[in-house]
Amino acid sequence: MRRIYFDNGATTPVLPEVFEAMRPYFSQQFGNASSIHHHGQETRAAVERARELVAALLGCRTGELVFTSGGTEADNLAIFGIVGPGDHLITSAVEHHAVLNACKHLEAEGCEVTYVPVDGRGVVDPQTLRRALRPATKLITIMMANNETGVLQSVKEIGAIAAEADVFFHTDAVQAVGKVPIDVNQIDCDLLAISGHKLHAPQGVGALYVRKGTALQPMLYGGRHERSRRAGTENVPGIVGLGRAAELARQKLKRGDELAPMRDRLERLVSQIEYAGVNGAGTPRVPQTSSMHFDGIDGEALVIALDLKGLAISTGAACSSGAIEPSHVLLAMGMSHDQARASVRFSLGQQNTMEEVEVAAGLVAETVARLRELSPREVARAVRRG
Ligand SMILES: Cc1ncc(COP(=O)(O)O)c(C=O)c1O
């Protein structure tokens, strides 16, 4: 069966160039990057070269990067590394669970957290955020691009508000990096998280940008790796892969956006289906992601039915699949439980083609029609509710 993978928001395949760059570091160049002999020097040089490549993608200095095991660890390090007992922090209702659950944990520990709402497009109003500031506010953490809808937040404006209030600003850029240009100095953020596997590097590697001079408490205690900000022997092949993927992403960004035309075509074709629509339309979004609702249908049933036909998509965040509750992101945007449950996410990657888009759109149309035939009462109910 022909398989089409439109779930790049969950993870992306490692690019062949990335895989080739990593290959020697599994066996030939295997040294511990902290060893002082030849083998260690070789891998240390590779780690530092990768650091330069990631720094070039984000517009920061090499000393401002901490390699981590991925986006979750980078988000956690940003939050737990800054916020302590008695502090207040501000986040949004649509963050990834890597941020939301870290905030919930801090709440249980006695910190105060404000979850600012979003509008119907999924956008945080920077002025609402400004009004949420308190004397005890230590950190603002707002994502750059949402993982379910692709909606971009006004991070530059938020960065300016944080700087004016002398509050730290962290942004989760996991779904934005490599898709839109990022310059940490333009955003004026103090911390920024990225993850390798959303960028065609391997799973299990990521990085946190930490602005020079930011006092960050480590989460792991051990050796003095990563300038004592993240103890543990470096994942050299992963870091090398992240560096190469960052280099390729930078070149790609210079060439222009190749994903948006595919995403737009997909949305145009799929929107022709009756009672279907794009969630978060009408506001800037990253080019790879499209969240759509098909009223009267169960999103999970659609994901399963399409998988049987060879098309891989998701109901939202990969880590929430199997969750009984509908997406917190779509609910925060004011969608009804029914419409949130009737939503799925399509997310494209560099390996996808326009021809796949055409085939996928056809599969979606026929599958939605078949599922609606099976539950006409659900459809009628959804349509009546609008
Ligand atoms: C917005 C966002 N933040 C954080 C993460 C977590 O990254 P990782 O899977 O590398 O831990 C993800 C992964 O889906 C994400 O989409």
Side-chain angles (χ1 to χ4, degrees):
M1 184 207 294
R2 178 179 185 188
R3 291 207 176 266
I4 298 177
Y5 183 78
F6 279 4
D7 197 16
N8 292 273
T11 199
T12 56
V14 171
L15 289 173
E17 300 94 313
V18 171
F19 184 65
E20 283 314 315
M22 295 171 64
R23 190 197 290 271
Y25 296 95
F26 288 105
S27 54
Q28 288 139 282
Q29 288 160 255
F30 57 85
N32 182 323
S34 299
S35 299
I36 56 173
H37 49 58
H38 165 79
H39 303 276
Q41 286 172 27
E42 246 177 12
T43 46
R44 168 59 52 205
V47 167
E48 295 317 317
R49 171 84 189 121
R51 205 184 300 275
E52 282 168 16
L53 295 169
V54 177
L57 182 65
L58 304 180
C60 66
R61 289 179 263 213
T62 50
E64 295 177 312
L65 281 177
V66 179
F67 287 118
T68 65
S69 65
T72 301
E73 187 189 328
D75 280 332
N76 274 249
L77 181 55
I79 295 167
F80 295 121
I82 296 289
V83 178
D87 290 337
H88 169 244
L89 77 144
I90 304 173
T91 190
S92 83
V94 296
E95 299 296 308
H96 188 272
H97 283 114
V99 166
L100 279 183
N101 285 343
C103 291
K104 294 237 167 76
H105 180 75
L106 281 172
E107 256 181 318
E109 300 273 293
C111 291
E112 289 206 55
V113 182
T114 302
Y115 299 88
V116 289
V118 292
D119 64 18
R121 300 163 308 163
V123 181
V124 170
D125 174 6
Q127 295 318 318
T128 307
L129 195 139
R130 188 197 289 276
R131 285 192 292 275
L133 286 164
R134 301 179 192 171
T137 310
K138 189 78 182 282
L139 177 75
I140 294 174
T141 170
I142 301 286
M143 69 200 322
M144 191 174 295
N146 186 269
N147 44 299
E148 293 188 32
T149 59
V151 167
L152 284 158
Q153 301 297 343
S154 318
V155 283
K156 268 192 217 165
E157 226 176 305
I158 296 170
I161 290 171
E164 194 188 297
D166 203 13
V167 166
F168 289 107
F169 175 36
H170 166 57
T171 186
D172 173 344
V174 167
Q175 294 287 347
V177 67
K179 310 301 188 307
V180 290
I182 294 180
D183 181 339
V184 292
N185 292 309
Q186 273 190 19
I187 301 169
D188 216 354
C189 57
D190 302 288
L191 304 129
L192 179 144
I194 67 168
S195 171
H197 72 115
K198 315 289 183 175
L199 190 67
H200 298 277
Q203 297 163 356
V205 66
L208 179 66
Y209 156 75
V210 185
R211 182 176 295 281
K212 189 166 182 257
T214 306
L216 187 84
Q217 280 301 311
M219 284 200 306
L220 302 178
Y221 291 86
R224 291 206 294 259
H225 309 86
E226 298 295 299
R227 299 184 175 200
S228 298
R229 292 169 298 186
R230 201 274 185 181
T233 301
E234 292 90 343
N235 166 8
V236 176
I239 290 171
V240 168
L242 178 58
R244 183 75 177 115
E247 183 179 27
L248 293 167
R250 196 158 162 246
Q251 291 164 2
K252 233 176 161 37
L253 281 170
K254 279 195 192 143
R255 286 203 300 274
D257 188 355
E258 289 160 9
L259 296 179
M262 287 198 276
R263 191 261 329 257
D264 293 347
R265 177 92 183 125
L266 180 72
E267 288 185 354
R268 253 197 311 278
L269 290 172
V270 175
S271 297
Q272 287 167 11
I273 298 172
E274 244 190 327
Y275 310 119
V278 177
N279 305 325
T283 190
R285 285 180 287 147
V286 280
Q288 79 275 23
T289 309
S290 182
S291 168
M292 296 195 69
H293 61 265
F294 301 94
D295 294 345
I297 277 192
D298 176 35
E300 200 145 272
L302 182 58
V303 169
I304 294 165
L306 284 171
D307 188 43
L308 292 173
K309 294 182 176 178
L311 174 61
I313 60 163
S314 68
T315 46
C319 22
S320 322
S321 52
I324 296 163
E325 285 301 303
S327 149
H328 68 284
V329 175
L330 302 181
L331 293 183
M333 288 163 63
M335 287 173 63
S336 66
H337 273 58
D338 282 353
Q339 209 167 42
R341 262 189 232 280
S343 294
V344 295
R345 175 184 70 178
F346 303 91
S347 46
L348 305 171
Q350 283 180 39
Q351 76 287 4
N352 293 131
T353 63
M354 199 56 102
E355 193 258 337
E356 286 182 320
V357 167
E358 309 279 337
V359 174
L363 290 175
V364 174
E366 71 185 42
T367 310
V368 168
R370 191 174 60 83
L371 289 176
R372 281 184 174 158
E373 267 164 33
L374 294 176
S375 54
R377 248 189 281 154
E378 281 301 305
V379 181
R381 196 166 63 104
V383 171
R384 259 201 317 277
R385 284 186 181 178

Short mmCIF file of all heavy atoms in Angstrom, two decimals, residues 261-307:
data_model
loop_
_atom_site.label_atom_id
_atom_site.label_comp_id
_atom_site.label_asym_id
_atom_site.label_seq_id
_atom_site.Cartn_x
_atom_site.Cartn_y
_atom_site.Cartn_z
N PRO A 261 2.86 26.60 -0.12
CA PRO A 261 2.01 26.31 -1.29
C PRO A 261 1.31 24.94 -1.17
O PRO A 261 0.16 24.80 -1.57
CB PRO A 261 2.99 26.32 -2.47
CG PRO A 261 4.16 27.10 -1.99
CD PRO A 261 4.25 26.89 -0.52
N MET A 262 2.00 23.97 -0.59
CA MET A 262 1.37 22.63 -0.43
C MET A 262 0.27 22.70 0.62
O MET A 262 -0.81 22.15 0.44
CB MET A 262 2.43 21.60 -0.01
CG MET A 262 3.36 21.20 -1.13
SD MET A 262 4.22 19.66 -0.77
CE MET A 262 5.57 20.24 0.21
N ARG A 263 0.56 23.38 1.74
CA ARG A 263 -0.45 23.52 2.79
C ARG A 263 -1.68 24.26 2.26
O ARG A 263 -2.83 23.85 2.47
CB ARG A 263 0.17 24.28 3.98
CG ARG A 263 -0.62 24.30 5.27
CD ARG A 263 -1.43 25.57 5.50
NE ARG A 263 -0.92 26.78 4.97
CZ ARG A 263 -0.30 27.74 5.68
NH1 ARG A 263 -0.09 27.57 6.95
NH2 ARG A 263 0.09 28.87 5.10
N ASP A 264 -1.43 25.32 1.47
CA ASP A 264 -2.56 26.11 0.95
C ASP A 264 -3.41 25.29 -0.02
O ASP A 264 -4.63 25.36 -0.01
CB ASP A 264 -2.05 27.39 0.26
CG ASP A 264 -1.42 28.34 1.27
OD1 ASP A 264 -1.61 28.13 2.49
OD2 ASP A 264 -0.72 29.28 0.85
N ARG A 265 -2.73 24.51 -0.85
CA ARG A 265 -3.46 23.66 -1.82
C ARG A 265 -4.30 22.62 -1.06
O ARG A 265 -5.46 22.39 -1.39
CB ARG A 265 -2.45 22.97 -2.74
CG ARG A 265 -3.07 22.01 -3.73
CD ARG A 265 -3.38 22.67 -5.04
NE ARG A 265 -4.04 21.76 -5.99
CZ ARG A 265 -5.19 22.02 -6.56
NH1 ARG A 265 -5.84 23.13 -6.33
NH2 ARG A 265 -5.72 21.15 -7.41
N LEU A 266 -3.68 22.02 -0.05
CA LEU A 266 -4.40 21.02 0.74
C LEU A 266 -5.65 21.65 1.36
O LEU A 266 -6.75 21.09 1.29
CB LEU A 266 -3.48 20.46 1.83
CG LEU A 266 -4.09 19.41 2.75
CD1 LEU A 266 -4.26 18.08 1.99
CD2 LEU A 266 -3.23 19.16 3.99
N GLU A 267 -5.48 22.83 1.93
CA GLU A 267 -6.62 23.48 2.59
C GLU A 267 -7.70 23.86 1.58
O GLU A 267 -8.89 23.73 1.86
CB GLU A 267 -6.15 24.73 3.36
CG GLU A 267 -5.36 24.35 4.60
CD GLU A 267 -4.98 25.54 5.46
OE1 GLU A 267 -5.23 26.70 5.06
OE2 GLU A 267 -4.43 25.30 6.56
N ARG A 268 -7.25 24.31 0.40
CA ARG A 268 -8.25 24.69 -0.61
C ARG A 268 -9.07 23.47 -1.02
O ARG A 268 -10.29 23.52 -1.11
CB ARG A 268 -7.56 25.30 -1.84
CG ARG A 268 -7.78 26.82 -1.94
CD ARG A 268 -7.47 27.37 -3.32
NE ARG A 268 -6.21 26.93 -3.85
CZ ARG A 268 -5.02 27.48 -3.55
NH1 ARG A 268 -4.96 28.49 -2.72
NH2 ARG A 268 -3.91 27.02 -4.09
N LEU A 269 -8.37 22.36 -1.26
CA LEU A 269 -9.07 21.14 -1.71
C LEU A 269 -9.98 20.59 -0.60
O LEU A 269 -11.14 20.27 -0.84
CB LEU A 269 -8.06 20.07 -2.13
CG LEU A 269 -7.27 20.36 -3.41
CD1 LEU A 269 -6.16 19.33 -3.61
CD2 LEU A 269 -8.21 20.36 -4.63
N VAL A 270 -9.44 20.51 0.59
CA VAL A 270 -10.20 19.87 1.67
C VAL A 270 -11.35 20.76 2.14
O VAL A 270 -12.40 20.27 2.56
CB VAL A 270 -9.23 19.47 2.82
CG1 VAL A 270 -10.00 18.92 4.00
CG2 VAL A 270 -8.23 18.42 2.32
N SER A 271 -11.18 22.08 2.01
CA SER A 271 -12.26 22.99 2.43
C SER A 271 -13.49 22.88 1.54
O SER A 271 -14.56 23.38 1.90
CB SER A 271 -11.79 24.44 2.41
OG SER A 271 -10.77 24.61 3.33
N GLN A 272 -13.33 22.23 0.38
CA GLN A 272 -14.50 22.05 -0.49
C GLN A 272 -15.48 21.03 0.09
O GLN A 272 -16.63 20.95 -0.32
CB GLN A 272 -14.04 21.60 -1.89
CG GLN A 272 -13.38 22.74 -2.67
CD GLN A 272 -12.66 22.26 -3.92
OE1 GLN A 272 -12.81 21.11 -4.32
NE2 GLN A 272 -11.87 23.13 -4.52
N ILE A 273 -14.98 20.23 1.03
CA ILE A 273 -15.87 19.26 1.69
C ILE A 273 -16.89 20.06 2.50
O ILE A 273 -16.54 21.06 3.14
CB ILE A 273 -15.05 18.34 2.62
CG1 ILE A 273 -14.02 17.54 1.80
CG2 ILE A 273 -15.95 17.42 3.44
CD1 ILE A 273 -13.05 16.75 2.63
N GLU A 274 -18.15 19.60 2.45
CA GLU A 274 -19.20 20.32 3.18
C GLU A 274 -18.93 20.31 4.69
O GLU A 274 -18.45 19.29 5.23
CB GLU A 274 -20.53 19.62 2.91
CG GLU A 274 -21.49 20.53 2.16
CD GLU A 274 -22.88 19.91 2.12
OE1 GLU A 274 -22.99 18.66 2.06
OE2 GLU A 274 -23.84 20.68 2.16
N TYR A 275 -19.27 21.38 5.34
CA TYR A 275 -19.13 21.50 6.79
C TYR A 275 -17.70 21.18 7.27
O TYR A 275 -17.49 20.45 8.24
CB TYR A 275 -20.14 20.62 7.54
CG TYR A 275 -21.54 20.79 7.02
CD1 TYR A 275 -22.24 19.72 6.47
CD2 TYR A 275 -22.16 22.04 7.07
CE1 TYR A 275 -23.52 19.88 5.97
CE2 TYR A 275 -23.43 22.21 6.56
CZ TYR A 275 -24.12 21.14 6.01
OH TYR A 275 -25.37 21.31 5.52
N ALA A 276 -16.72 21.70 6.51
CA ALA A 276 -15.31 21.55 6.92
C ALA A 276 -14.70 22.95 6.99
O ALA A 276 -15.18 23.86 6.32
CB ALA A 276 -14.55 20.71 5.90
N GLY A 277 -13.69 23.13 7.79
CA GLY A 277 -13.05 24.45 7.87
C GLY A 277 -11.71 24.37 8.57
O GLY A 277 -11.39 23.38 9.23
N VAL A 278 -10.93 25.42 8.39
CA VAL A 278 -9.58 25.48 8.96
C VAL A 278 -9.66 26.15 10.34
O VAL A 278 -10.25 27.22 10.47
CB VAL A 278 -8.64 26.30 8.04
CG1 VAL A 278 -7.25 26.43 8.65
CG2 VAL A 278 -8.56 25.67 6.65
N ASN A 279 -9.08 25.52 11.34
CA ASN A 279 -9.03 26.10 12.69
C ASN A 279 -7.83 27.05 12.76
O ASN A 279 -6.72 26.66 12.41
CB ASN A 279 -8.87 25.00 13.74
CG ASN A 279 -9.96 23.95 13.64
OD1 ASN A 279 -11.11 24.26 13.32
ND2 ASN A 279 -9.60 22.69 13.90
N GLY A 280 -8.07 28.26 13.21
CA GLY A 280 -6.96 29.23 13.33
C GLY A 280 -6.70 29.95 12.02
O GLY A 280 -5.61 30.51 11.84
N ALA A 281 -7.67 29.95 11.12
CA ALA A 281 -7.47 30.65 9.84
C ALA A 281 -7.51 32.16 10.10
O ALA A 281 -8.03 32.61 11.12
CB ALA A 281 -8.58 30.26 8.87
N GLY A 282 -6.91 32.90 9.19
CA GLY A 282 -7.02 34.36 9.26
C GLY A 282 -6.00 35.00 10.19
O GLY A 282 -6.16 36.15 10.59
N THR A 283 -4.95 34.28 10.51
CA THR A 283 -3.87 34.84 11.32
C THR A 283 -2.58 34.14 10.89
O THR A 283 -2.64 33.01 10.39
CB THR A 283 -4.18 34.66 12.84
OG1 THR A 283 -3.25 35.42 13.59
CG2 THR A 283 -4.15 33.21 13.28
N PRO A 284 -1.42 34.80 11.04
CA PRO A 284 -0.18 34.14 10.58
C PRO A 284 0.04 32.78 11.25
O PRO A 284 -0.16 32.62 12.45
CB PRO A 284 0.91 35.14 10.98
CG PRO A 284 0.21 36.45 11.04
CD PRO A 284 -1.18 36.16 11.52
N ARG A 285 0.43 31.83 10.39
CA ARG A 285 0.69 30.47 10.88
C ARG A 285 2.00 29.96 10.28
O ARG A 285 2.41 30.45 9.23
CB ARG A 285 -0.43 29.51 10.43
CG ARG A 285 -1.72 29.67 11.20
CD ARG A 285 -2.78 28.69 10.71
NE ARG A 285 -3.30 29.05 9.41
CZ ARG A 285 -3.72 28.18 8.48
NH1 ARG A 285 -3.66 26.88 8.71
NH2 ARG A 285 -4.19 28.60 7.34
N VAL A 286 2.63 28.97 10.91
CA VAL A 286 3.78 28.33 10.29
C VAL A 286 3.28 27.56 9.06
O VAL A 286 2.11 27.14 9.04
CB VAL A 286 4.53 27.37 11.25
CG1 VAL A 286 5.45 28.13 12.17
CG2 VAL A 286 3.58 26.49 12.04
N PRO A 287 4.13 27.39 8.05
CA PRO A 287 3.63 26.86 6.79
C PRO A 287 3.32 25.37 6.75
O PRO A 287 2.68 24.91 5.82
CB PRO A 287 4.77 27.17 5.80
CG PRO A 287 5.99 27.27 6.65
CD PRO A 287 5.54 27.82 7.96
N GLN A 288 3.73 24.62 7.78
CA GLN A 288 3.59 23.16 7.64
C GLN A 288 2.30 22.60 8.24
O GLN A 288 1.98 21.45 7.99
CB GLN A 288 4.81 22.45 8.27
CG GLN A 288 4.81 22.31 9.79
CD GLN A 288 5.37 23.53 10.49
OE1 GLN A 288 5.39 24.61 9.95
NE2 GLN A 288 5.83 23.35 11.71
N THR A 289 1.59 23.40 9.02
CA THR A 289 0.52 22.82 9.84
C THR A 289 -0.85 23.32 9.47
O THR A 289 -1.05 24.50 9.22
CB THR A 289 0.78 23.16 11.34
OG1 THR A 289 2.12 22.80 11.63
CG2 THR A 289 -0.14 22.40 12.26
N SER A 290 -1.81 22.40 9.47
CA SER A 290 -3.18 22.78 9.21
C SER A 290 -4.10 21.95 10.10
O SER A 290 -4.12 20.72 10.01
CB SER A 290 -3.48 22.49 7.72
OG SER A 290 -4.78 22.88 7.44
N SER A 291 -4.86 22.63 10.92
CA SER A 291 -5.84 21.94 11.78
C SER A 291 -7.20 22.19 11.14
O SER A 291 -7.55 23.33 10.85
CB SER A 291 -5.78 22.55 13.19
OG SER A 291 -6.88 22.11 13.95
N MET A 292 -7.95 21.11 10.91
CA MET A 292 -9.25 21.27 10.22
C MET A 292 -10.34 20.51 10.95
O MET A 292 -10.09 19.45 11.54
CB MET A 292 -9.14 20.77 8.79
CG MET A 292 -8.17 21.61 7.96
SD MET A 292 -8.33 21.32 6.20
CE MET A 292 -9.92 22.02 5.82
N HIS A 293 -11.56 21.06 10.90
CA HIS A 293 -12.69 20.32 11.49
C HIS A 293 -13.62 19.83 10.38
O HIS A 293 -13.75 20.48 9.33
CB HIS A 293 -13.45 21.18 12.50
CG HIS A 293 -14.05 22.41 11.90
ND1 HIS A 293 -13.41 23.62 11.94
CD2 HIS A 293 -15.22 22.62 11.25
CE1 HIS A 293 -14.17 24.52 11.34
NE2 HIS A 293 -15.27 23.94 10.90
N PHE A 294 -14.21 18.68 10.62
CA PHE A 294 -15.18 18.06 9.71
C PHE A 294 -16.40 17.75 10.57
O PHE A 294 -16.42 16.72 11.26
CB PHE A 294 -14.60 16.79 9.08
CG PHE A 294 -13.33 17.04 8.31
CD1 PHE A 294 -12.09 16.89 8.91
CD2 PHE A 294 -13.38 17.46 6.99
CE1 PHE A 294 -10.92 17.16 8.22
CE2 PHE A 294 -12.22 17.73 6.29
CZ PHE A 294 -10.99 17.58 6.90
N ASP A 295 -17.36 18.67 10.57
CA ASP A 295 -18.47 18.55 11.53
C ASP A 295 -19.20 17.22 11.40
O ASP A 295 -19.40 16.71 10.28
CB ASP A 295 -19.43 19.72 11.33
CG ASP A 295 -18.77 21.04 11.70
OD1 ASP A 295 -17.70 20.99 12.35
OD2 ASP A 295 -19.29 22.10 11.32
N GLY A 296 -19.57 16.69 12.56
CA GLY A 296 -20.34 15.45 12.59
C GLY A 296 -19.47 14.21 12.56
O GLY A 296 -19.97 13.08 12.54
N ILE A 297 -18.15 14.41 12.60
CA ILE A 297 -17.24 13.24 12.50
C ILE A 297 -16.38 13.17 13.74
O ILE A 297 -16.06 14.21 14.34
CB ILE A 297 -16.39 13.42 11.22
CG1 ILE A 297 -17.22 12.90 10.07
CG2 ILE A 297 -15.05 12.74 11.30
CD1 ILE A 297 -16.48 12.73 8.82
N ASP A 298 -15.99 11.98 14.12
CA ASP A 298 -15.06 11.83 15.22
C ASP A 298 -13.64 11.86 14.63
O ASP A 298 -13.31 11.03 13.77
CB ASP A 298 -15.34 10.49 15.94
CG ASP A 298 -14.34 10.23 17.02
OD1 ASP A 298 -13.90 11.21 17.66
OD2 ASP A 298 -13.96 9.06 17.22
N GLY A 299 -12.84 12.84 15.07
CA GLY A 299 -11.49 13.01 14.52
C GLY A 299 -10.66 11.73 14.61
O GLY A 299 -9.94 11.37 13.67
N GLU A 300 -10.79 11.03 15.74
CA GLU A 300 -9.99 9.82 15.92
C GLU A 300 -10.42 8.74 14.91
O GLU A 300 -9.57 8.03 14.36
CB GLU A 300 -10.14 9.30 17.34
CG GLU A 300 -9.01 8.39 17.73
CD GLU A 300 -8.65 8.55 19.20
OE1 GLU A 300 -7.83 9.42 19.52
OE2 GLU A 300 -9.20 7.80 20.03
N ALA A 301 -11.73 8.66 14.65
CA ALA A 301 -12.21 7.68 13.66
C ALA A 301 -11.66 8.03 12.28
O ALA A 301 -11.28 7.14 11.50
CB ALA A 301 -13.74 7.68 13.63
N LEU A 302 -11.57 9.32 11.99
CA LEU A 302 -11.03 9.74 10.69
C LEU A 302 -9.54 9.39 10.59
O LEU A 302 -9.08 8.89 9.55
CB LEU A 302 -11.25 11.26 10.52
CG LEU A 302 -10.78 11.86 9.19
CD1 LEU A 302 -11.45 11.19 7.99
CD2 LEU A 302 -11.04 13.38 9.15
N VAL A 303 -8.80 9.62 11.68
CA VAL A 303 -7.37 9.29 11.68
C VAL A 303 -7.19 7.79 11.41
O VAL A 303 -6.36 7.38 10.59
CB VAL A 303 -6.72 9.70 13.03
CG1 VAL A 303 -5.32 9.12 13.16
CG2 VAL A 303 -6.69 11.22 13.15
N ILE A 304 -8.00 6.98 12.07
CA ILE A 304 -7.87 5.52 11.92
C ILE A 304 -8.26 5.09 10.51
O ILE A 304 -7.56 4.30 9.86
CB ILE A 304 -8.71 4.79 13.00
CG1 ILE A 304 -8.13 5.07 14.39
CG2 ILE A 304 -8.76 3.28 12.74
CD1 ILE A 304 -9.04 4.72 15.54
N ALA A 305 -9.37 5.64 10.03
CA ALA A 305 -9.84 5.25 8.68
C ALA A 305 -8.84 5.67 7.62
O ALA A 305 -8.58 4.92 6.66
CB ALA A 305 -11.20 5.89 8.41
N LEU A 306 -8.23 6.83 7.79
CA LEU A 306 -7.24 7.27 6.80
C LEU A 306 -5.97 6.46 6.88
O LEU A 306 -5.33 6.17 5.87
CB LEU A 306 -6.94 8.77 6.99
CG LEU A 306 -8.03 9.71 6.47
CD1 LEU A 306 -7.77 11.15 6.89
CD2 LEU A 306 -8.17 9.64 4.94
N ASP A 307 -5.61 6.06 8.09
CA ASP A 307 -4.41 5.23 8.25
C ASP A 307 -4.58 3.91 7.49
O ASP A 307 -3.65 3.40 6.88
CB ASP A 307 -4.15 4.97 9.74
CG ASP A 307 -2.83 4.27 9.96
OD1 ASP A 307 -1.83 4.67 9.31
OD2 ASP A 307 -2.78 3.31 10.76
#
